Amino acid sequence: MMAQGETIGLLHLSCPEGSKLILPETPLEACCSRAEQIREGVKHLNIQHRGQSLGVVSFSIGVAAFPEHGLTREAIVEAADVALYRAKHEGRDRVICASERAIADTS
């Protein structure tokens, strides 16, 4: 279980490996803002494969934070996963923050 004084944001990035970016001591609003900056920045990358541009790349991100979305590591990761899948379902290329206590906590 995490300490009640901690503030931790988790960005779950949509990519083949399902990467996660943990932002210690970062409030939820700042995490959502940073996620949007990352999503927008990816659009400006010139990604190439075998000498061919892949064009504009879309990027979905699910955001969850402690303690807003869970009291355990597992609950926060699951809340970020749910937010990511919601972003994909709603049309991709977007940032979605998890709903308040979207996932039941397990201690």
Side-chain angles (χ1 to χ4, degrees), residues 59-97:
F59 203 66
S60 296
I61 303 174
V63 180
F66 172 85
E68 292 94 326
H69 304 115
L71 299 178
T72 64
R73 207 170 321 177
E74 294 79 12
I76 297 166
V77 169
E78 190 170 346
D81 284 345
V82 169
L84 172 61
Y85 291 123
R86 200 173 116 211
K88 289 179 176 183
H89 179 74
E90 291 181 10
R92 299 180 181 236
D93 197 31
R94 63 191 67 224
V95 173
I96 297 287
C97 290

PDB file of all heavy atoms in Angstrom, residues 59-97:
ATOM      1  N   PHE A  59      -1.875   8.564 -31.034  1.00  0.00           N
ATOM      2  CA  PHE A  59      -1.344   8.134 -29.755  1.00  0.00           C
ATOM      3  C   PHE A  59      -2.414   8.316 -28.697  1.00  0.00           C
ATOM      4  O   PHE A  59      -2.898   9.422 -28.494  1.00  0.00           O
ATOM      5  CB  PHE A  59      -0.127   9.020 -29.455  1.00  0.00           C
ATOM      6  CG  PHE A  59       0.866   8.446 -28.503  1.00  0.00           C
ATOM      7  CD1 PHE A  59       1.601   7.328 -28.831  1.00  0.00           C
ATOM      8  CD2 PHE A  59       1.092   9.056 -27.287  1.00  0.00           C
ATOM      9  CE1 PHE A  59       2.545   6.808 -27.964  1.00  0.00           C
ATOM     10  CE2 PHE A  59       2.030   8.550 -26.413  1.00  0.00           C
ATOM     11  CZ  PHE A  59       2.760   7.425 -26.749  1.00  0.00           C
ATOM     12  N   SER A  60      -2.793   7.255 -28.030  1.00  0.00           N
ATOM     13  CA  SER A  60      -3.784   7.332 -26.959  1.00  0.00           C
ATOM     14  C   SER A  60      -3.099   7.142 -25.616  1.00  0.00           C
ATOM     15  O   SER A  60      -2.155   6.362 -25.496  1.00  0.00           O
ATOM     16  CB  SER A  60      -4.855   6.256 -27.142  1.00  0.00           C
ATOM     17  OG  SER A  60      -5.567   6.474 -28.329  1.00  0.00           O
ATOM     18  N   ILE A  61      -3.604   7.857 -24.601  1.00  0.00           N
ATOM     19  CA  ILE A  61      -3.005   7.789 -23.272  1.00  0.00           C
ATOM     20  C   ILE A  61      -4.115   7.717 -22.226  1.00  0.00           C
ATOM     21  O   ILE A  61      -5.068   8.492 -22.277  1.00  0.00           O
ATOM     22  CB  ILE A  61      -2.109   9.018 -22.989  1.00  0.00           C
ATOM     23  CG1 ILE A  61      -1.022   9.152 -24.046  1.00  0.00           C
ATOM     24  CG2 ILE A  61      -1.510   8.935 -21.589  1.00  0.00           C
ATOM     25  CD1 ILE A  61      -0.180  10.407 -23.922  1.00  0.00           C
ATOM     26  N   GLY A  62      -3.975   6.783 -21.294  1.00  0.00           N
ATOM     27  CA  GLY A  62      -4.856   6.706 -20.131  1.00  0.00           C
ATOM     28  C   GLY A  62      -4.101   7.222 -18.920  1.00  0.00           C
ATOM     29  O   GLY A  62      -2.932   6.893 -18.729  1.00  0.00           O
ATOM     30  N   VAL A  63      -4.757   8.049 -18.103  1.00  0.00           N
ATOM     31  CA  VAL A  63      -4.104   8.665 -16.952  1.00  0.00           C
ATOM     32  C   VAL A  63      -4.844   8.281 -15.672  1.00  0.00           C
ATOM     33  O   VAL A  63      -6.075   8.329 -15.623  1.00  0.00           O
ATOM     34  CB  VAL A  63      -4.095  10.210 -17.083  1.00  0.00           C
ATOM     35  CG1 VAL A  63      -3.414  10.856 -15.880  1.00  0.00           C
ATOM     36  CG2 VAL A  63      -3.418  10.643 -18.377  1.00  0.00           C
ATOM     37  N   ALA A  64      -4.089   7.907 -14.652  1.00  0.00           N
ATOM     38  CA  ALA A  64      -4.645   7.639 -13.331  1.00  0.00           C
ATOM     39  C   ALA A  64      -3.662   8.154 -12.289  1.00  0.00           C
ATOM     40  O   ALA A  64      -2.477   8.308 -12.580  1.00  0.00           O
ATOM     41  CB  ALA A  64      -4.885   6.144 -13.141  1.00  0.00           C
ATOM     42  N   ALA A  65      -4.162   8.425 -11.098  1.00  0.00           N
ATOM     43  CA  ALA A  65      -3.295   8.980 -10.056  1.00  0.00           C
ATOM     44  C   ALA A  65      -3.651   8.400  -8.692  1.00  0.00           C
ATOM     45  O   ALA A  65      -4.770   7.963  -8.455  1.00  0.00           O
ATOM     46  CB  ALA A  65      -3.433  10.497 -10.022  1.00  0.00           C
ATOM     47  N   PHE A  66      -2.659   8.418  -7.808  1.00  0.00           N
ATOM     48  CA  PHE A  66      -2.826   8.039  -6.409  1.00  0.00           C
ATOM     49  C   PHE A  66      -3.053   9.309  -5.613  1.00  0.00           C
ATOM     50  O   PHE A  66      -2.332  10.284  -5.829  1.00  0.00           O
ATOM     51  CB  PHE A  66      -1.562   7.330  -5.910  1.00  0.00           C
ATOM     52  CG  PHE A  66      -1.565   7.078  -4.433  1.00  0.00           C
ATOM     53  CD1 PHE A  66      -2.187   5.961  -3.927  1.00  0.00           C
ATOM     54  CD2 PHE A  66      -0.958   7.957  -3.564  1.00  0.00           C
ATOM     55  CE1 PHE A  66      -2.201   5.719  -2.563  1.00  0.00           C
ATOM     56  CE2 PHE A  66      -0.965   7.731  -2.203  1.00  0.00           C
ATOM     57  CZ  PHE A  66      -1.588   6.606  -1.701  1.00  0.00           C
ATOM     58  N   PRO A  67      -3.969   9.392  -4.749  1.00  0.00           N
ATOM     59  CA  PRO A  67      -4.915   8.372  -4.312  1.00  0.00           C
ATOM     60  C   PRO A  67      -6.271   8.456  -5.029  1.00  0.00           C
ATOM     61  O   PRO A  67      -7.166   7.683  -4.712  1.00  0.00           O
ATOM     62  CB  PRO A  67      -5.077   8.683  -2.824  1.00  0.00           C
ATOM     63  CG  PRO A  67      -4.969  10.183  -2.758  1.00  0.00           C
ATOM     64  CD  PRO A  67      -3.954  10.538  -3.820  1.00  0.00           C
ATOM     65  N   GLU A  68      -6.419   9.364  -5.982  1.00  0.00           N
ATOM     66  CA  GLU A  68      -7.719   9.584  -6.622  1.00  0.00           C
ATOM     67  C   GLU A  68      -8.333   8.331  -7.249  1.00  0.00           C
ATOM     68  O   GLU A  68      -9.538   8.142  -7.226  1.00  0.00           O
ATOM     69  CB  GLU A  68      -7.625  10.654  -7.722  1.00  0.00           C
ATOM     70  CG  GLU A  68      -7.344  12.046  -7.222  1.00  0.00           C
ATOM     71  CD  GLU A  68      -5.870  12.390  -7.232  1.00  0.00           C
ATOM     72  OE1 GLU A  68      -5.037  11.467  -6.993  1.00  0.00           O
ATOM     73  OE2 GLU A  68      -5.541  13.550  -7.478  1.00  0.00           O
ATOM     74  N   HIS A  69      -7.492   7.476  -7.825  1.00  0.00           N
ATOM     75  CA  HIS A  69      -8.004   6.337  -8.590  1.00  0.00           C
ATOM     76  C   HIS A  69      -7.645   4.984  -7.992  1.00  0.00           C
ATOM     77  O   HIS A  69      -7.854   3.960  -8.636  1.00  0.00           O
ATOM     78  CB  HIS A  69      -7.512   6.434 -10.040  1.00  0.00           C
ATOM     79  CG  HIS A  69      -7.903   7.724 -10.657  1.00  0.00           C
ATOM     80  ND1 HIS A  69      -6.973   8.666 -11.038  1.00  0.00           N
ATOM     81  CD2 HIS A  69      -9.118   8.249 -10.932  1.00  0.00           C
ATOM     82  CE1 HIS A  69      -7.608   9.713 -11.527  1.00  0.00           C
ATOM     83  NE2 HIS A  69      -8.904   9.485 -11.463  1.00  0.00           N
ATOM     84  N   GLY A  70      -7.115   4.971  -6.812  1.00  0.00           N
ATOM     85  CA  GLY A  70      -6.788   3.713  -6.162  1.00  0.00           C
ATOM     86  C   GLY A  70      -5.760   3.912  -5.075  1.00  0.00           C
ATOM     87  O   GLY A  70      -5.010   4.888  -5.094  1.00  0.00           O
ATOM     88  N   LEU A  71      -5.724   2.964  -4.164  1.00  0.00           N
ATOM     89  CA  LEU A  71      -4.781   3.039  -3.052  1.00  0.00           C
ATOM     90  C   LEU A  71      -3.639   2.048  -3.186  1.00  0.00           C
ATOM     91  O   LEU A  71      -2.721   2.053  -2.379  1.00  0.00           O
ATOM     92  CB  LEU A  71      -5.520   2.805  -1.724  1.00  0.00           C
ATOM     93  CG  LEU A  71      -6.613   3.831  -1.414  1.00  0.00           C
ATOM     94  CD1 LEU A  71      -7.303   3.480  -0.101  1.00  0.00           C
ATOM     95  CD2 LEU A  71      -6.033   5.242  -1.363  1.00  0.00           C
ATOM     96  N   THR A  72      -3.710   1.191  -4.210  1.00  0.00           N
ATOM     97  CA  THR A  72      -2.627   0.239  -4.446  1.00  0.00           C
ATOM     98  C   THR A  72      -2.080   0.443  -5.850  1.00  0.00           C
ATOM     99  O   THR A  72      -2.757   1.003  -6.724  1.00  0.00           O
ATOM    100  CB  THR A  72      -3.123  -1.217  -4.328  1.00  0.00           C
ATOM    101  OG1 THR A  72      -4.080  -1.469  -5.362  1.00  0.00           O
ATOM    102  CG2 THR A  72      -3.738  -1.496  -2.960  1.00  0.00           C
ATOM    103  N   ARG A  73      -0.870  -0.008  -6.050  1.00  0.00           N
ATOM    104  CA  ARG A  73      -0.240   0.049  -7.364  1.00  0.00           C
ATOM    105  C   ARG A  73      -1.119  -0.621  -8.415  1.00  0.00           C
ATOM    106  O   ARG A  73      -1.334  -0.090  -9.497  1.00  0.00           O
ATOM    107  CB  ARG A  73       1.112  -0.658  -7.272  1.00  0.00           C
ATOM    108  CG  ARG A  73       2.140  -0.222  -8.218  1.00  0.00           C
ATOM    109  CD  ARG A  73       3.472  -0.823  -7.839  1.00  0.00           C
ATOM    110  NE  ARG A  73       3.552  -0.796  -6.362  1.00  0.00           N
ATOM    111  CZ  ARG A  73       4.510  -1.266  -5.625  1.00  0.00           C
ATOM    112  NH1 ARG A  73       5.523  -1.837  -6.174  1.00  0.00           N
ATOM    113  NH2 ARG A  73       4.506  -1.190  -4.329  1.00  0.00           N
ATOM    114  N   GLU A  74      -1.631  -1.794  -8.058  1.00  0.00           N
ATOM    115  CA  GLU A  74      -2.439  -2.565  -9.002  1.00  0.00           C
ATOM    116  C   GLU A  74      -3.709  -1.817  -9.399  1.00  0.00           C
ATOM    117  O   GLU A  74      -4.107  -1.817 -10.556  1.00  0.00           O
ATOM    118  CB  GLU A  74      -2.794  -3.931  -8.406  1.00  0.00           C
ATOM    119  CG  GLU A  74      -1.606  -4.841  -8.186  1.00  0.00           C
ATOM    120  CD  GLU A  74      -0.791  -4.526  -6.917  1.00  0.00           C
ATOM    121  OE1 GLU A  74      -1.255  -3.732  -6.060  1.00  0.00           O
ATOM    122  OE2 GLU A  74       0.320  -5.063  -6.791  1.00  0.00           O
ATOM    123  N   ALA A  75      -4.372  -1.187  -8.416  1.00  0.00           N
ATOM    124  CA  ALA A  75      -5.611  -0.454  -8.691  1.00  0.00           C
ATOM    125  C   ALA A  75      -5.342   0.748  -9.601  1.00  0.00           C
ATOM    126  O   ALA A  75      -6.132   1.032 -10.510  1.00  0.00           O
ATOM    127  CB  ALA A  75      -6.257  -0.001  -7.385  1.00  0.00           C
ATOM    128  N   ILE A  76      -4.230   1.431  -9.381  1.00  0.00           N
ATOM    129  CA  ILE A  76      -3.907   2.601 -10.209  1.00  0.00           C
ATOM    130  C   ILE A  76      -3.580   2.164 -11.634  1.00  0.00           C
ATOM    131  O   ILE A  76      -4.047   2.774 -12.604  1.00  0.00           O
ATOM    132  CB  ILE A  76      -2.743   3.403  -9.584  1.00  0.00           C
ATOM    133  CG1 ILE A  76      -3.178   3.948  -8.225  1.00  0.00           C
ATOM    134  CG2 ILE A  76      -2.324   4.538 -10.507  1.00  0.00           C
ATOM    135  CD1 ILE A  76      -2.048   4.458  -7.386  1.00  0.00           C
ATOM    136  N   VAL A  77      -2.800   1.113 -11.785  1.00  0.00           N
ATOM    137  CA  VAL A  77      -2.473   0.603 -13.124  1.00  0.00           C
ATOM    138  C   VAL A  77      -3.745   0.166 -13.835  1.00  0.00           C
ATOM    139  O   VAL A  77      -3.950   0.465 -15.017  1.00  0.00           O
ATOM    140  CB  VAL A  77      -1.441  -0.545 -13.052  1.00  0.00           C
ATOM    141  CG1 VAL A  77      -1.312  -1.246 -14.388  1.00  0.00           C
ATOM    142  CG2 VAL A  77      -0.084  -0.014 -12.598  1.00  0.00           C
ATOM    143  N   GLU A  78      -4.627  -0.522 -13.122  1.00  0.00           N
ATOM    144  CA  GLU A  78      -5.876  -0.969 -13.739  1.00  0.00           C
ATOM    145  C   GLU A  78      -6.747   0.219 -14.156  1.00  0.00           C
ATOM    146  O   GLU A  78      -7.360   0.214 -15.224  1.00  0.00           O
ATOM    147  CB  GLU A  78      -6.646  -1.894 -12.799  1.00  0.00           C
ATOM    148  CG  GLU A  78      -7.820  -2.557 -13.497  1.00  0.00           C
ATOM    149  CD  GLU A  78      -8.451  -3.649 -12.678  1.00  0.00           C
ATOM    150  OE1 GLU A  78      -7.856  -4.106 -11.690  1.00  0.00           O
ATOM    151  OE2 GLU A  78      -9.557  -4.062 -13.050  1.00  0.00           O
ATOM    152  N   ALA A  79      -6.798   1.268 -13.329  1.00  0.00           N
ATOM    153  CA  ALA A  79      -7.568   2.467 -13.666  1.00  0.00           C
ATOM    154  C   ALA A  79      -6.987   3.141 -14.912  1.00  0.00           C
ATOM    155  O   ALA A  79      -7.732   3.602 -15.783  1.00  0.00           O
ATOM    156  CB  ALA A  79      -7.584   3.433 -12.485  1.00  0.00           C
ATOM    157  N   ALA A  80      -5.662   3.181 -15.021  1.00  0.00           N
ATOM    158  CA  ALA A  80      -5.022   3.752 -16.216  1.00  0.00           C
ATOM    159  C   ALA A  80      -5.315   2.900 -17.446  1.00  0.00           C
ATOM    160  O   ALA A  80      -5.546   3.423 -18.542  1.00  0.00           O
ATOM    161  CB  ALA A  80      -3.515   3.891 -16.004  1.00  0.00           C
ATOM    162  N   ASP A  81      -5.316   1.580 -17.278  1.00  0.00           N
ATOM    163  CA  ASP A  81      -5.652   0.670 -18.385  1.00  0.00           C
ATOM    164  C   ASP A  81      -7.072   0.924 -18.884  1.00  0.00           C
ATOM    165  O   ASP A  81      -7.318   1.005 -20.082  1.00  0.00           O
ATOM    166  CB  ASP A  81      -5.538  -0.797 -17.950  1.00  0.00           C
ATOM    167  CG  ASP A  81      -4.113  -1.291 -17.844  1.00  0.00           C
ATOM    168  OD1 ASP A  81      -3.200  -0.613 -18.365  1.00  0.00           O
ATOM    169  OD2 ASP A  81      -3.911  -2.356 -17.243  1.00  0.00           O
ATOM    170  N   VAL A  82      -8.017   1.031 -17.940  1.00  0.00           N
ATOM    171  CA  VAL A  82      -9.415   1.284 -18.312  1.00  0.00           C
ATOM    172  C   VAL A  82      -9.526   2.608 -19.062  1.00  0.00           C
ATOM    173  O   VAL A  82     -10.219   2.701 -20.086  1.00  0.00           O
ATOM    174  CB  VAL A  82     -10.322   1.256 -17.059  1.00  0.00           C
ATOM    175  CG1 VAL A  82     -11.720   1.777 -17.374  1.00  0.00           C
ATOM    176  CG2 VAL A  82     -10.391  -0.148 -16.479  1.00  0.00           C
ATOM    177  N   ALA A  83      -8.829   3.631 -18.586  1.00  0.00           N
ATOM    178  CA  ALA A  83      -8.852   4.935 -19.260  1.00  0.00           C
ATOM    179  C   ALA A  83      -8.251   4.828 -20.666  1.00  0.00           C
ATOM    180  O   ALA A  83      -8.771   5.421 -21.619  1.00  0.00           O
ATOM    181  CB  ALA A  83      -8.096   5.974 -18.430  1.00  0.00           C
ATOM    182  N   LEU A  84      -7.184   4.063 -20.817  1.00  0.00           N
ATOM    183  CA  LEU A  84      -6.564   3.882 -22.135  1.00  0.00           C
ATOM    184  C   LEU A  84      -7.525   3.191 -23.098  1.00  0.00           C
ATOM    185  O   LEU A  84      -7.708   3.628 -24.235  1.00  0.00           O
ATOM    186  CB  LEU A  84      -5.276   3.070 -22.015  1.00  0.00           C
ATOM    187  CG  LEU A  84      -4.631   2.655 -23.333  1.00  0.00           C
ATOM    188  CD1 LEU A  84      -4.232   3.872 -24.163  1.00  0.00           C
ATOM    189  CD2 LEU A  84      -3.432   1.770 -23.078  1.00  0.00           C
ATOM    190  N   TYR A  85      -8.170   2.128 -22.637  1.00  0.00           N
ATOM    191  CA  TYR A  85      -9.109   1.414 -23.516  1.00  0.00           C
ATOM    192  C   TYR A  85     -10.296   2.304 -23.873  1.00  0.00           C
ATOM    193  O   TYR A  85     -10.810   2.240 -24.980  1.00  0.00           O
ATOM    194  CB  TYR A  85      -9.560   0.102 -22.871  1.00  0.00           C
ATOM    195  CG  TYR A  85      -8.427  -0.886 -22.804  1.00  0.00           C
ATOM    196  CD1 TYR A  85      -8.024  -1.436 -21.600  1.00  0.00           C
ATOM    197  CD2 TYR A  85      -7.726  -1.253 -23.947  1.00  0.00           C
ATOM    198  CE1 TYR A  85      -6.962  -2.326 -21.536  1.00  0.00           C
ATOM    199  CE2 TYR A  85      -6.662  -2.137 -23.895  1.00  0.00           C
ATOM    200  CZ  TYR A  85      -6.294  -2.672 -22.685  1.00  0.00           C
ATOM    201  OH  TYR A  85      -5.230  -3.542 -22.626  1.00  0.00           O
ATOM    202  N   ARG A  86     -10.692   3.159 -22.934  1.00  0.00           N
ATOM    203  CA  ARG A  86     -11.775   4.111 -23.231  1.00  0.00           C
ATOM    204  C   ARG A  86     -11.329   5.105 -24.302  1.00  0.00           C
ATOM    205  O   ARG A  86     -12.089   5.427 -25.211  1.00  0.00           O
ATOM    206  CB  ARG A  86     -12.178   4.833 -21.955  1.00  0.00           C
ATOM    207  CG  ARG A  86     -13.551   5.448 -22.058  1.00  0.00           C
ATOM    208  CD  ARG A  86     -13.993   5.999 -20.730  1.00  0.00           C
ATOM    209  NE  ARG A  86     -14.130   7.426 -20.914  1.00  0.00           N
ATOM    210  CZ  ARG A  86     -13.929   8.334 -20.000  1.00  0.00           C
ATOM    211  NH1 ARG A  86     -13.573   7.988 -18.787  1.00  0.00           N
ATOM    212  NH2 ARG A  86     -14.095   9.603 -20.257  1.00  0.00           N
ATOM    213  N   ALA A  87     -10.078   5.558 -24.221  1.00  0.00           N
ATOM    214  CA  ALA A  87      -9.542   6.478 -25.229  1.00  0.00           C
ATOM    215  C   ALA A  87      -9.546   5.831 -26.606  1.00  0.00           C
ATOM    216  O   ALA A  87      -9.923   6.460 -27.601  1.00  0.00           O
ATOM    217  CB  ALA A  87      -8.126   6.913 -24.844  1.00  0.00           C
ATOM    218  N   LYS A  88      -9.140   4.577 -26.670  1.00  0.00           N
ATOM    219  CA  LYS A  88      -9.138   3.858 -27.951  1.00  0.00           C
ATOM    220  C   LYS A  88     -10.565   3.681 -28.469  1.00  0.00           C
ATOM    221  O   LYS A  88     -10.835   3.887 -29.647  1.00  0.00           O
ATOM    222  CB  LYS A  88      -8.463   2.494 -27.794  1.00  0.00           C
ATOM    223  CG  LYS A  88      -6.974   2.572 -27.586  1.00  0.00           C
ATOM    224  CD  LYS A  88      -6.414   1.171 -27.421  1.00  0.00           C
ATOM    225  CE  LYS A  88      -4.915   1.171 -27.314  1.00  0.00           C
ATOM    226  NZ  LYS A  88      -4.376  -0.184 -27.224  1.00  0.00           N
ATOM    227  N   HIS A  89     -11.484   3.328 -27.580  1.00  0.00           N
ATOM    228  CA  HIS A  89     -12.869   3.084 -27.962  1.00  0.00           C
ATOM    229  C   HIS A  89     -13.556   4.375 -28.447  1.00  0.00           C
ATOM    230  O   HIS A  89     -14.409   4.334 -29.332  1.00  0.00           O
ATOM    231  CB  HIS A  89     -13.637   2.497 -26.783  1.00  0.00           C
ATOM    232  CG  HIS A  89     -15.073   2.229 -27.072  1.00  0.00           C
ATOM    233  ND1 HIS A  89     -15.494   1.183 -27.865  1.00  0.00           N
ATOM    234  CD2 HIS A  89     -16.196   2.894 -26.688  1.00  0.00           C
ATOM    235  CE1 HIS A  89     -16.810   1.212 -27.956  1.00  0.00           C
ATOM    236  NE2 HIS A  89     -17.258   2.233 -27.248  1.00  0.00           N
ATOM    237  N   GLU A  90     -13.172   5.505 -27.871  1.00  0.00           N
ATOM    238  CA  GLU A  90     -13.799   6.783 -28.224  1.00  0.00           C
ATOM    239  C   GLU A  90     -13.187   7.425 -29.456  1.00  0.00           C
ATOM    240  O   GLU A  90     -13.500   8.567 -29.766  1.00  0.00           O
ATOM    241  CB  GLU A  90     -13.758   7.732 -27.033  1.00  0.00           C
ATOM    242  CG  GLU A  90     -14.659   7.283 -25.900  1.00  0.00           C
ATOM    243  CD  GLU A  90     -14.652   8.221 -24.714  1.00  0.00           C
ATOM    244  OE1 GLU A  90     -14.096   9.344 -24.810  1.00  0.00           O
ATOM    245  OE2 GLU A  90     -15.193   7.836 -23.661  1.00  0.00           O
ATOM    246  N   GLY A  91     -12.302   6.725 -30.134  1.00  0.00           N
ATOM    247  CA  GLY A  91     -11.783   7.252 -31.387  1.00  0.00           C
ATOM    248  C   GLY A  91     -10.284   7.376 -31.481  1.00  0.00           C
ATOM    249  O   GLY A  91      -9.770   7.859 -32.482  1.00  0.00           O
ATOM    250  N   ARG A  92      -9.564   6.980 -30.475  1.00  0.00           N
ATOM    251  CA  ARG A  92      -8.102   7.020 -30.464  1.00  0.00           C
ATOM    252  C   ARG A  92      -7.566   8.447 -30.519  1.00  0.00           C
ATOM    253  O   ARG A  92      -8.304   9.393 -30.636  1.00  0.00           O
ATOM    254  CB  ARG A  92      -7.525   6.166 -31.592  1.00  0.00           C
ATOM    255  CG  ARG A  92      -7.936   4.712 -31.458  1.00  0.00           C
ATOM    256  CD  ARG A  92      -7.349   3.878 -32.575  1.00  0.00           C
ATOM    257  NE  ARG A  92      -7.794   2.507 -32.410  1.00  0.00           N
ATOM    258  CZ  ARG A  92      -6.989   1.481 -32.304  1.00  0.00           C
ATOM    259  NH1 ARG A  92      -5.691   1.650 -32.354  1.00  0.00           N
ATOM    260  NH2 ARG A  92      -7.464   0.275 -32.143  1.00  0.00           N
ATOM    261  N   ASP A  93      -6.241   8.548 -30.431  1.00  0.00           N
ATOM    262  CA  ASP A  93      -5.540   9.832 -30.481  1.00  0.00           C
ATOM    263  C   ASP A  93      -6.121  10.823 -29.480  1.00  0.00           C
ATOM    264  O   ASP A  93      -6.488  11.940 -29.827  1.00  0.00           O
ATOM    265  CB  ASP A  93      -5.558  10.412 -31.900  1.00  0.00           C
ATOM    266  CG  ASP A  93      -4.494  11.497 -32.055  1.00  0.00           C
ATOM    267  OD1 ASP A  93      -3.444  11.412 -31.391  1.00  0.00           O
ATOM    268  OD2 ASP A  93      -4.727  12.440 -32.828  1.00  0.00           O
ATOM    269  N   ARG A  94      -6.183  10.400 -28.223  1.00  0.00           N
ATOM    270  CA  ARG A  94      -6.716  11.272 -27.182  1.00  0.00           C
ATOM    271  C   ARG A  94      -6.174  10.869 -25.815  1.00  0.00           C
ATOM    272  O   ARG A  94      -5.649   9.790 -25.643  1.00  0.00           O
ATOM    273  CB  ARG A  94      -8.243  11.266 -27.183  1.00  0.00           C
ATOM    274  CG  ARG A  94      -8.851   9.921 -26.863  1.00  0.00           C
ATOM    275  CD  ARG A  94     -10.345   9.875 -27.140  1.00  0.00           C
ATOM    276  NE  ARG A  94     -10.551   9.990 -28.565  1.00  0.00           N
ATOM    277  CZ  ARG A  94     -11.479  10.756 -29.131  1.00  0.00           C
ATOM    278  NH1 ARG A  94     -12.311  11.434 -28.402  1.00  0.00           N
ATOM    279  NH2 ARG A  94     -11.587  10.823 -30.430  1.00  0.00           N
ATOM    280  N   VAL A  95      -6.363  11.766 -24.860  1.00  0.00           N
ATOM    281  CA  VAL A  95      -5.986  11.525 -23.468  1.00  0.00           C
ATOM    282  C   VAL A  95      -7.278  11.389 -22.672  1.00  0.00           C
ATOM    283  O   VAL A  95      -8.168  12.229 -22.789  1.00  0.00           O
ATOM    284  CB  VAL A  95      -5.150  12.701 -22.907  1.00  0.00           C
ATOM    285  CG1 VAL A  95      -4.919  12.531 -21.412  1.00  0.00           C
ATOM    286  CG2 VAL A  95      -3.833  12.821 -23.647  1.00  0.00           C
ATOM    287  N   ILE A  96      -7.381  10.333 -21.879  1.00  0.00           N
ATOM    288  CA  ILE A  96      -8.538  10.134 -21.002  1.00  0.00           C
ATOM    289  C   ILE A  96      -8.026   9.926 -19.579  1.00  0.00           C
ATOM    290  O   ILE A  96      -7.139   9.104 -19.348  1.00  0.00           O
ATOM    291  CB  ILE A  96      -9.369   8.899 -21.420  1.00  0.00           C
ATOM    292  CG1 ILE A  96      -9.950   9.072 -22.818  1.00  0.00           C
ATOM    293  CG2 ILE A  96     -10.470   8.614 -20.391  1.00  0.00           C
ATOM    294  CD1 ILE A  96     -11.096  10.039 -22.935  1.00  0.00           C
ATOM    295  N   CYS A  97      -8.580  10.687 -18.651  1.00  0.00           N
ATOM    296  CA  CYS A  97      -8.263  10.501 -17.237  1.00  0.00           C
ATOM    297  C   CYS A  97      -9.261   9.510 -16.654  1.00  0.00           C
ATOM    298  O   CYS A  97     -10.440   9.537 -17.003  1.00  0.00           O
ATOM    299  CB  CYS A  97      -8.345  11.824 -16.491  1.00  0.00           C
ATOM    300  SG  CYS A  97      -7.025  12.953 -16.945  1.00  0.00           S
TER     301      CYS A  97
END
